[in-house]
Amino acid sequence: MAAAALLRRIPAARAPATAFMAARPVSDSTAALTIETSVPFTSHLVDPPSRDVTTTPAELVTFFRDMSLMRRMEIAADSLYKAKLIRGFCHLYDGQEAVAVGMEAAITRSDSIITAYRDHCTYLARGGDLVSAFSELMGREGGCSRGKGGSMHFYKKDANFYGGHGIVGAQVPLGCGLAFAQKYKKEETATFALYGDGAANQGQLFEALNISALWKLPAILVCENNHYGMGTAEWRAAKSPAYYKRGDYVPGLKVDGMDVLAVKQACKFAKDHAVANGPIVLEMDTYRYHGHSMSDPGSTYRTRDEISGVRQERDPIERVRKLLLAHDLATAAELKDMEKEIRKQVDDAIAKAKESSMPDTSELFTNVYKKGFNVESFGPDRKELRATLP
């Protein structure tokens, strides 16, 4: 059953099914529910937000669908890479979907997001479409970066998504620069600069955080702690793996990054704080199921039991599935139908992406310099290249 049809099915009033439900029964798809986060927030230099998160049946269905779509996209990308239709680097996000979806639920498209190279799902959360995502992954001109960025460099300026970045930690100073622009323009918006635990020891991160604190910029530094920087466990790389405390003089919050409602609550709290008071650090306790990249099997530095244990106990999609079933907001069959629909949607998007052509060789020299400044790029055939310039 399509997502819209499932939302239409929710109107009947229902009694609370678990202790997580608010006392008031659900009357329609927009009726407020109150659900407690999986674990308490842990804070540094700030009072934590409430564990009671307000949501609706419609939002929970949307969470389930969006995260399932992301999961399916990443699984499909794995297959495309193994078929050599995706080349180069490819870092998958399956397992971490709650961070992208929960963050988007808490903010607006006027807020900015910038991230590292594990960026496919953040692009989807910002409103990107599957065809442009798969086109970019396969280096086609119909991609979100015209096929020139590939897996690590998705981009969507009209949604203030300033891309994936391949240099470890380099996106954080850029994110703080975006926050500077927001404050300078008095926009009352914030920037979320995402990085992994492997980048948390980068010097540029602390330099950017220092100046953000001095100038009280609306910057939220989000450490997506999936516990492994490439193949190195956090405890082997960081003397203090309590990343939410790393800001020292900057407040921080540790969040269950596998709980989409906790992420939503934390990001709303962080935005309000950052706009009013300056930067804050969020540590998202999350997990990736794939290896660091497609060249990493992901099983040499951790056990298969560890991976399956996280899947069974903390998987973000299964948590929402259980909520929908426990509160009688959907049936198991309806959710399975939605997953079948998603599989078809992904397959159709891949087929369309394959129809997109490869970029013309002249595109190699576009977007290097801004047009209209009489700057030329030269290559082996000087005359031919000049003809492609403005």
Side-chain angles (χ1 to χ4, degrees):
M1 181 179 289
L6 178 52
L7 289 176
R8 288 195 297 270
R9 196 196 68 79
I10 293 177
R14 308 185 190 280
T18 75
F20 293 122
M21 288 286 288
R24 184 175 59 187
V26 180
S27 58
D28 57 47
S29 63
T30 60
L33 306 173
T34 301
I35 297 175
E36 189 177 59
T37 61
S38 55
V39 296
F41 298 104
T42 309
S43 63
H44 169 66
L45 298 181
V46 68
D47 292 331
S50 170
R51 290 183 65 185
D52 294 329
V53 186
T54 301
T55 186
T56 65
E59 183 176 62
L60 289 175
V61 171
T62 300
F63 285 166
F64 180 84
R65 189 186 192 288
D66 289 350
M67 290 194 292
S68 297
L69 185 68
M70 292 173 180
R71 179 74 56 87
R72 187 63 202 168
M73 177 184 72
E74 296 294 67
I75 291 171
D78 175 292
S79 299
L80 290 170
Y81 192 93
K82 290 172 180 174
K84 297 185 178 181
L85 290 170
I86 297 174
R87 309 302 291 262
F89 295 105
C90 185
H91 305 80
L92 302 181
Y93 201 73
D94 49 319
Q96 300 184 207
E97 299 92 348
V99 177
V101 172
M103 182 181 300
E104 194 64 37
I107 62 178
T108 73
R109 295 284 163 80
S110 296
D111 297 301
S112 297
I113 297 179
I114 189 167
T115 189
Y117 36 75
R118 208 177 300 278
D119 58 354
H120 313 156
C121 294
T122 309
Y123 171 74
L124 279 194
R126 288 264 89 181
D129 66 276
L130 285 171
V131 176
S132 61
F134 282 117
S135 296
E136 191 61 41
L137 284 168
M138 292 189 283
R140 311 299 174 102
E141 64 179 1
C144 57
S145 297
R146 301 179 187 173
K148 297 165 67 174
S151 170
M152 298 197 294
H153 301 289
F154 278 38
Y155 182 75
K156 189 171 174 56
K157 186 178 180 182
D158 61 359
N160 288 304
F161 175 52
Y162 292 94
H165 293 261
I167 305 301
V168 175
Q171 71 279 6
V172 176
L174 298 179
C176 293
L178 292 170
F180 175 82
Q182 290 168 325
K183 182 166 185 176
Y184 185 83
K185 296 176 182 179
K186 300 180 180 179
E187 292 181 348
E188 299 296 312
T189 55
T191 293
F192 289 75
L194 283 65
Y195 58 98
D197 52 288
N201 299 316
Q202 283 278 317
Q204 58 189 323
L205 189 151
F206 294 95
E207 294 177 54
L209 186 59
N210 177 66
I211 201 165
S212 297
L214 283 171
W215 293 347
K216 295 184 178 180
L217 302 183
I220 297 125
L221 273 62
V222 183
C223 178
E224 293 188 275
N225 181 10
N226 59 30
H227 303 284
Y228 295 95
M230 298 186 71
T232 303
E234 59 180 343
W235 60 268
R236 295 181 61 203
K239 183 63 177 177
S240 171
Y243 300 108
Y244 69 102
K245 294 182 180 180
R246 286 288 195 90
D248 187 13
Y249 42 81
V250 173
L253 196 67
K254 185 174 182 179
V255 185
D256 182 356
M258 307 293 271
D259 179 348
V260 66
L261 291 170
V263 175
K264 172 190 168 184
Q265 187 85 328
C267 289
K268 182 181 184 303
F269 173 86
K271 177 185 173 179
D272 291 343
H273 173 93
V275 170
N277 305 300
I280 185 171
V281 177
L282 297 180
E283 178 187 344
M284 299 292 179
D285 180 4
T286 186
Y287 199 83
R288 57 170 164 79
Y289 295 146
H290 266 84
H292 170 72
S293 69
M294 284 300 297
S295 62
D296 168 24
S299 57
T300 57
Y301 48 86
R302 56 184 183 174
T303 65
R304 296 191 183 277
D305 287 344
E306 176 184 312
I307 300 169
S308 62
V310 174
R311 283 186 181 274
Q312 291 172 15
E313 297 175 13
R314 299 183 64 209
D315 186 84
I317 298 173
E318 293 308 310
R319 281 179 165 177
V320 176
R321 187 196 304 272
K322 289 175 182 176
L323 282 173
L324 290 168
L325 295 176
H327 299 310
D328 198 21
L329 301 176
T331 67
E334 287 169 337
L335 297 179
K336 284 292 184 184
D337 286 344
M338 187 184 295
E339 289 172 314
K340 290 178 183 177
E341 175 195 312
I342 287 168
R343 182 187 292 264
K344 182 179 185 304
Q345 186 179 352
V346 169
D347 290 345
D348 290 347
I350 292 171
K352 289 181 181 178
K354 288 178 178 179
E355 295 173 0
S356 180
S357 59
M358 294 291 182
D360 187 80
T361 52
S362 64
E363 280 293 308
L364 183 62
F365 301 95
T366 60
N367 308 117
V368 177
Y369 296 105
K370 184 174 175 63
K371 291 182 179 180
F373 281 81
N374 297 317
V375 179
E376 295 180 326
S377 296
F378 299 112
D381 190 336
R382 188 181 182 102
K383 183 177 179 181
E384 179 182 345
L385 291 178
R386 244 183 211 171
T388 69
L389 294 169

